Amino acid sequence: MDRDHGPRVRVPEQRAPEEPGAADSLRFTVLGPVRAWRGSDALPSGSPQQRALLAALLLREGRTATAGELIDAFWGEDPPSQALATIRTYASRLRKILGQETLVSESGGYALRIGRGALDLTLAQDLAVEAEKARAGGNRLQARTLINKVLGLWDGEALASVPGPYAENQRTRLEEWRLQLTEARLDLDLEVGSHAEAVSELTALTAAHPLRERLRELLMVALYRSGRQAEALAVYADTRRLLSEELGVDPRPELAQLQQRILRADEELARPADEPAPAHAPLRPAQLPATVPDFTGRDSFVRDLGTQLASTEGSVMAVSALAGIGGVGKTTLAVHVAHQARPHFPDGQLYVDLQGAGARAAEPETVLGSFLRALGTADSAIPDTLDERAALFRSTLDGRRVLVLLDNAHDAAQIRPLLPGTPGCAALVTSRVRMVDLAGAHLVDLDVMSPDEALQLFTRIVGAERVGAEREAALDVVAACGFLPLAIRIAASRLAARRTWTVSVLAAKLADERRRLDELQAGDLAVKATFELGYGQLEPAQARAFRLLGLADGPDISLAAAAALLNLEPHTAEDLLEALVDTSLLESAAPGRYRYHDLVRLYARACAERDEQPPVERELALSRLLDFYLATAAGVYALERPGDRLVDHLEETDHPGLTFGDRHAALDWLYTEATNLLACVRQVARPATLRRAVDLLYAALDLGESGANAKQYEAAAVTVREAARGCGDPRSESRAVMSLANAHQLAGRFDQAEREAAEAMQLAETAQDLLAGSWAANARGIIALYHNRHEDGEAFLNQAIEAFRSDGNLPGEASALCNLSRIHLATARTGSAIALARSGIDIYDSLGHALRGANGRYALGMALTQNGEFTAATGKLTEALEIFRDSRQRLWEGMALFRLAEVEIASGHPARAAQYAESALTVLRGIGGDWRRGNVLTVLGRALAGIGQTRRAQVCWNEALDIYDTLGSTEAAQVRSLLTTTAS
């Protein structure tokens, strides 16, 4: 494949635009049905023959069509005797509709006088020319966008239902142009890194146009770049066989050369061209925190780092690592330098606080997930493993100029996967440790400020007049602060807020603090002395807020959560928090969100342990925060699942949560607060708050099901389960174990899920916990289905139905009915399967339960498929798919796509089946487990075999067979049979 240019778009011959006139309000389309509008009003286009005349004149683009040319266009070599009269009749009718000034008679023929922008075809031509120019100029993203606009102008088949040989020829010409445009856009998709998403469309196109070698070439590249080398080679084998059988020729040289490059595992081929982009939009993240307005000094460091960052315009990636003690100003300097360097990085700036000095440093794979989303990558395109995410991150940044600021790193191992790795990008790292083992990094050791710089910073905050009058005292202050910027900023902010204090008073107070803290090491001494001073001068309410906010484990905290923790009204809490921001003891990470410097957080916690009276207030504060998260998460759950009795079985809360006007706002809150919420679960997993911690995990079930936070959710479930076992609380343990069973089941670990669900069932019986018991029975029923233990599954699900009914839990009953439908379906009771699924849907719909109603439609779609009702099955599964997407349920979105592929296979449409199955593989990447992937690969193989791509089908089946054999799944026998049949 030509990496620099690829296929060129051939544009039909064009004419210069006409002068605009009175007919400018007319609009016409030929890239679909032939239609006309005047303004927003549709005009009658008449009979098919009248539309044929209009189309012929429109495609002449203002040139005159003679009567003879029009007769040939209508009837070819066999016109009727009254052909000319017929043409004149149609022309007369059109003139009445369009106007005398639009349809004119001249030179024995007819012409249309319309502006160039009045016809969709000419608009498409102009956009295609602009796309060519953009691509030639290296702007692949703009070219891709423009070609998508061109393709978006089509509305089905061009000149639809227009008769005559001329229309047929033009249809063929326009369809060929459309294919060329599609190939050009797909080539751009590959160049900008959207190979995984392109596979589905290319698979369908190669089925529709099996002899079109360019599409096969693009498919091979897309598969190879998606890590599917064997399938890419199989495409070549299928193509070679097809060309030999159909045309008696070999593949063209370009295709054969591509096969050799894939066989060699050509690294250059595996890498997209020099401008990858996210699948949906070329986002330019701007995540840098605000720089401080009073940044002072550090001139040599600013110049040095600025030079290093500017060097990325050359041939290497710049990595600069700043090391220094806490409070020395690493983050402030890095943010300031990053803002100055923004012009060198027009494609965006990424920022993350890696929490390296805290108890739980940020996980690189989590950071990469957030970076990829910020760059526009869809959740479905983000792989599961750290290595795959790092590779995708590097590919996404390749050819772009992006600055990555990695703040507060723990060590080099944490940041290596987060480095762009390509020329044009740069990474700026701050850490308390020197990154001596970070190869190629420009190391910068940041010491305390010089006395002059320290005094300058102090002066900018306090004011030149006050400092000028007491210069010696000011020098004593900055010396007492150890020349540390953080300490100086806190001390100066305190003085600036106390207009009656002199600088000498501040110096004396700092000296007293230092004497009280003389047991500390030198670096921490200055910082803590400053903290003591700043803290000591707070109003009582401010000091209380400072102490208690530091107790929460999350990386930051929202205003609403802070208000709950402090037991204050939001506006009162906001005043206190903003006052703390003004003293530099708290940072405002974003509007309505706050965070501590890690040193300040440690100090705040020390103050809480020392000063909070009575001591139980610390526990009460975290209890209120837990109440806030639990009450709000329960509200989200209730909004997503109306009528579900789970919320009635949760522990009561003494403090309210937030309420939301719609489910989308509720889900936004849940996913925004996911990290903080799960951190709270882990933190409060102790006897006094354990039950509420477990219930919070239960109420936040969507975090486990979505895929985005599945690992964090599972880790929290393990924490609360161990805590419950230690407390001997069977109720808490049953719910914690059930949460873990759900996590295993969603990840495709069915053996572990069964063990956990069985344990949860026993614990629930001991605790007489109807909630955990009913859901455990339901879970064991569906797990038994996956294990092909249908009799056991039916018994568990009937038990679940009775338990849900005794609890008055209608959505739970509906869930079990839909699951039972699948058991009936697996045991050839199709009629009852359909009835059970419809019963479940009726319950869901009566409650307005959209999300679980989608699960019901999913079950019904499967049953209708087996019953041969393919149109109805497609309708139900499509409804389910749309709801799953709207609810951010990636697992179920992928599974709905898989079931739609099954419908298309059963109804004899293998090309559409292949497209659905490919989409399912993309969405399910990294979630759902190997067993589900094996199922999708099996169906994909059947679809590929149905469109003649047998070698590629065999590759899919072999991969599925490896999965089934590893898992010991009974599906292996079916796949072996498919492979044997195909081989023979």
Side-chain angles (χ1 to χ4, degrees):
M1 184 176 63
D2 185 343
R3 290 176 56 82
D4 295 322
H5 303 290
R8 288 305 180 197
V9 179
R10 295 193 295 276
V11 181
E13 180 184 354
Q14 301 172 50
R15 288 173 53 85
E18 301 286 346
E19 289 294 322
D24 279 354
S25 62
L26 284 169
R27 292 183 296 111
F28 302 89
T29 63
V30 293
L31 300 177
V34 176
R35 291 172 292 194
W37 289 267
R38 190 181 300 279
S40 59
D41 297 327
L43 300 178
S45 55
S47 66
Q49 290 75 17
Q50 187 169 306
R51 291 198 301 274
L53 174 60
L54 177 60
L57 296 175
L58 287 169
L59 291 171
R60 301 284 290 187
E61 297 186 24
R63 299 187 302 274
T64 299
T66 67
E69 289 172 333
L70 291 172
I71 290 172
D72 286 343
F74 272 48
W75 295 286
E77 297 179 357
D78 189 25
S81 58
Q82 300 298 314
L84 181 58
T86 302
I87 292 290
R88 288 172 176 167
T89 299
Y90 292 144
S92 175
R93 293 174 182 172
L94 275 177
R95 187 176 286 116
K96 290 178 182 178
I97 296 169
L98 302 178
Q100 298 282 348
E101 73 284 358
T102 301
L103 179 55
V104 298
S105 300
E106 58 182 26
S107 304
Y110 302 95
L112 284 175
R113 297 286 182 254
I114 60 174
R116 182 171 181 80
L119 178 62
D120 60 350
L121 176 58
T122 54
L123 176 59
Q125 293 168 347
D126 291 342
L127 287 170
V129 169
E130 291 302 311
E132 274 293 288
K133 291 178 180 177
R135 189 170 189 180
N139 193 339
R140 292 174 175 84
L141 297 177
Q142 184 183 6
R144 184 184 187 218
T145 300
L146 287 168
I147 293 178
N148 274 324
K149 286 184 178 180
V150 177
L151 293 170
L153 292 173
W154 257 268
D155 183 17
E157 182 184 49
L159 305 173
S161 302
V162 174
Y166 177 76
E168 185 59 36
N169 289 337
Q170 292 300 309
R171 250 192 306 274
T172 301
R173 178 179 69 87
L174 291 171
E175 180 58 28
E176 173 61 24
W177 186 43
R178 185 183 190 180
L179 267 175
Q180 291 174 12
L181 287 165
T182 301
E183 288 174 343
R185 195 260 301 152
L186 285 163
D187 195 27
L188 287 165
D189 286 348
L190 301 189
E191 289 184 9
V192 301
S194 296
H195 36 267
E197 293 76 15
V199 171
S200 174
E201 184 177 0
L202 281 165
T203 297
L205 285 168
T206 54
H209 307 279
L211 298 176
R212 201 171 181 98
E213 291 182 71
R214 177 60 181 158
L215 290 172
R216 300 276 182 149
E217 182 181 346
L218 292 169
L219 177 57
M220 288 172 67
V221 175
L223 287 166
Y224 180 64
R225 289 183 181 166
S226 300
R228 299 160 69 178
Q229 181 181 12
E231 280 187 73
L233 292 169
V235 170
Y236 178 81
D238 286 331
T239 305
R240 184 176 182 179
R241 174 187 52 78
L242 180 68
L243 291 172
S244 176
E245 292 176 354
E246 296 290 330
L247 304 177
V249 299
D250 289 329
R252 64 182 188 170
E254 293 87 348
L255 207 61
Q257 291 166 9
L258 178 59
Q259 181 218 23
Q260 291 302 311
R261 295 180 70 184
I262 293 173
L263 284 169
R264 296 195 305 268
D266 189 328
E267 291 185 5
E268 180 68 14
L269 180 63
R271 185 176 64 86
D274 58 357
E275 193 179 355
H280 299 290
L283 298 183
R284 290 180 172 84
Q287 297 183 341
L288 295 177
T291 187
V292 293
D294 49 20
F295 182 84
T296 304
R298 309 295 201 187
D299 294 340
S300 63
F301 292 105
V302 172
R303 285 193 301 272
D304 181 28
L305 290 167
T307 300
Q308 287 293 318
L309 294 180
S311 73
T312 61
E313 294 183 5
S315 59
V316 296
M317 180 197 68
V319 179
S320 297
L322 285 77
I325 63 173
V328 80
K330 300 182 295 296
T331 298
T332 302
L333 173 60
V335 169
H336 180 75
V337 170
H339 273 283
Q340 286 195 334
R342 285 185 65 183
H344 295 291
F345 302 97
D347 295 318
Q349 306 85 40
L350 296 166
Y351 171 85
V352 64
D353 177 0
L354 293 170
Q355 304 171 50
R360 292 189 181 93
E363 296 179 355
E365 61 186 296
T366 302
V367 174
L368 285 168
S370 66
F371 278 176
L372 287 166
R373 292 184 191 95
L375 290 164
T377 306
D379 280 343
S380 62
I382 297 175
D384 190 40
T385 68
L386 173 60
D387 289 344
E388 288 177 321
R389 289 188 177 193
L392 179 59
F393 178 59
R394 292 190 295 270
S395 295
T396 304
L397 292 184
D398 186 26
R400 304 178 75 182
R401 301 187 56 77
V402 173
L403 174 62
V404 182
L405 177 45
L406 304 171
D407 192 18
N408 194 14
H410 180 68
D411 54 23
Q414 184 190 30
I415 66 169
R416 282 194 191 98
L418 309 178
L419 298 177
T422 53
C425 291
L428 193 53
V429 183
T430 74
S431 177
R432 293 192 186 181
V433 298
R434 295 189 84 240
M435 297 289 175
V436 292
D437 51 347
L438 190 61
H442 175 66
L443 302 181
V444 177
D445 293 318
L446 193 61
D447 202 350
V448 297
M449 284 182 148
S450 69
D452 287 343
E453 288 177 330
L455 185 61
Q456 186 181 0
L457 173 60
F458 184 76
T459 302
R460 292 190 67 170
I461 299 172
V462 173
E465 183 178 349
R466 295 175 77 183
V467 173
E470 297 182 89
R471 179 178 172 81
E472 291 302 318
L475 286 170
D476 289 341
V477 168
V478 296
C481 291
F483 304 110
L484 285 166
L486 176 62
I488 294 168
R489 188 174 297 280
I490 293 172
S493 297
R494 177 53 48 203
L495 181 59
R498 294 288 187 272
R499 303 302 301 175
T500 58
W501 283 13
T502 64
V503 180
S504 300
V505 168
L506 176 61
K509 289 181 176 293
L510 277 174
D512 287 343
E513 295 293 352
R514 287 178 65 88
R515 282 192 291 273
R516 283 173 46 208
L517 299 168
D518 57 6
E519 76 280 4
L520 297 177
Q521 296 178 354
D524 288 338
L525 176 63
V527 175
K528 191 166 184 181
T530 309
F531 292 169
E532 288 284 357
L533 175 67
Y535 170 67
Q537 300 303 319
L538 294 175
E539 299 292 334
Q542 295 171 350
R544 173 180 176 272
F546 174 75
R547 292 191 301 268
L548 295 182
L549 284 176
L551 297 173
D553 266 357
D556 67 355
I557 192 167
S558 68
L559 173 60
L565 183 146
L566 297 172
N567 199 22
L568 296 172
E569 291 297 321
H571 66 274
T572 304
E574 184 175 25
D575 289 343
L576 292 175
L577 299 184
E578 290 299 327
L580 293 175
V581 171
D582 292 341
T583 64
S584 298
L585 289 171
L586 190 66
E587 301 172 13
S588 180
R593 303 198 73 84
Y594 301 89
R595 68 183 179 199
Y596 283 104
H597 185 286
D598 54 277
L599 284 179
V600 181
R601 181 193 295 274
L602 292 174
Y603 175 72
R605 290 186 172 183
C607 289
E609 292 179 8
R610 182 188 69 194
D611 300 337
E612 197 59 47
Q613 298 298 329
V616 71
E617 178 58 23
R618 299 197 299 272
E619 299 300 322
L620 292 175
L622 288 175
S623 178
R624 290 190 294 268
L625 180 64
L626 173 59
D627 272 1
F628 167 78
Y629 283 135
L630 176 55
T632 308
V636 175
Y637 187 98
L639 205 55
E640 273 282 273
R641 299 167 173 82
D644 196 315
R645 286 269 295 151
L646 179 142
V647 294
D648 300 316
H649 287 279
L650 301 178
E651 286 289 294
E652 293 186 1
T653 58
D654 295 328
H655 298 272
L658 298 175
T659 57
F660 303 97
D662 62 77
R663 55 190 293 270
H664 295 99
L667 287 173
D668 285 343
W669 176 88
L670 183 65
Y671 288 106
T672 298
E673 294 294 337
T675 301
N676 290 322
L677 185 152
L678 294 174
C680 181
V681 169
R682 292 192 299 267
Q683 185 177 14
V684 298
R686 46 193 181 225
T689 50
L690 177 61
R691 288 197 168 192
R692 280 179 289 152
V694 172
D695 285 355
L696 174 54
L697 197 64
Y698 233 45
L701 177 65
D702 280 338
L703 297 180
E705 288 195 1
S706 68
N709 304 96
K711 287 191 174 181
Q712 291 173 284
Y713 186 92
E714 186 176 336
V718 171
T719 298
V720 294
R721 181 192 64 182
E722 295 308 310
R725 284 178 175 170
C727 293
D729 180 358
R731 175 199 175 280
S732 294
E733 190 176 353
S734 67
R735 296 187 180 190
V737 170
M738 192 57 235
S739 296
L740 197 54
N742 282 332
H744 287 314
Q745 192 267 111
L746 293 167
R749 300 187 293 266
F750 301 125
D751 290 343
Q752 292 169 271
E754 166 61 18
R755 287 195 295 271
E756 300 288 358
E759 182 182 357
M761 211 167 169
Q762 292 176 347
L763 288 164
E765 185 176 353
T766 300
Q768 296 186 328
D769 182 8
L770 192 56
L771 174 68
S774 54
W775 284 108
N778 194 42
R780 294 190 74 185
I782 200 67
I783 294 167
L785 170 67
Y786 294 144
H787 279 153
N788 294 309
R789 295 184 291 107
H790 301 133
E791 187 175 341
D792 290 344
E794 187 163 356
F796 285 132
L797 289 169
N798 281 320
Q799 182 179 347
I801 290 170
E802 291 305 313
F804 285 129
R805 285 174 176 167
S806 67
D807 189 33
N809 191 339
L810 287 173
E813 178 186 346
S815 174
L817 287 169
C818 292
N819 288 336
L820 186 58
S821 163
R822 296 182 60 182
I823 294 282
H824 280 228
L825 192 63
T827 50
R829 291 173 283 172
T830 308
S832 57
I834 292 173
L836 285 165
R838 283 182 170 149
S839 296
I841 292 172
D842 288 344
I843 294 173
Y844 284 135
D845 288 352
S846 70
L847 298 169
H849 203 318
L851 176 57
R852 289 309 177 209
N855 288 111
R857 285 162 174 79
Y858 174 90
L860 179 57
M862 291 175 61
L864 292 170
T865 302
Q866 191 160 311
N867 204 42
E869 300 178 53
F870 303 128
T871 301
T874 298
K876 293 301 178 186
L877 288 169
T878 301
E879 289 175 26
L881 175 63
E882 291 171 354
I883 296 170
F884 290 141
R885 281 177 175 161
D886 187 56
S887 301
R888 310 180 201 182
Q889 293 292 322
R890 278 178 56 206
L891 171 64
W892 290 110
E893 177 189 347
M895 292 306 297
L897 288 165
F898 164 63
R899 298 302 180 187
L900 282 164
E902 289 188 320
V903 176
E904 299 298 346
I905 284 287
S907 59
H909 300 107
R912 290 205 292 263
Q915 192 166 9
Y916 278 127
E918 281 290 356
S919 296
L921 281 180
T922 300
V923 173
L924 292 172
R925 185 164 52 190
I927 60 174
D930 287 342
W931 181 77
R932 290 186 176 96
R933 178 176 174 81
N935 292 346
V936 178
L937 285 167
T938 302
V939 168
L940 176 58
R942 293 175 62 196
L944 293 171
I947 59 176
Q949 298 184 22
T950 53
R951 291 289 186 89
R952 190 176 160 204
Q954 289 169 345
V955 171
C956 292
W957 288 332
N958 278 315
E959 184 180 346
L961 184 59
D962 288 343
I963 290 172
Y964 292 144
D965 281 344
T966 300
L967 297 175
S969 301
T970 58
E971 290 84 357
Q974 176 197 9
V975 177
R976 282 195 176 88
S977 175
L978 289 169
L979 284 165
T980 301
T981 302
T982 308
S984 61

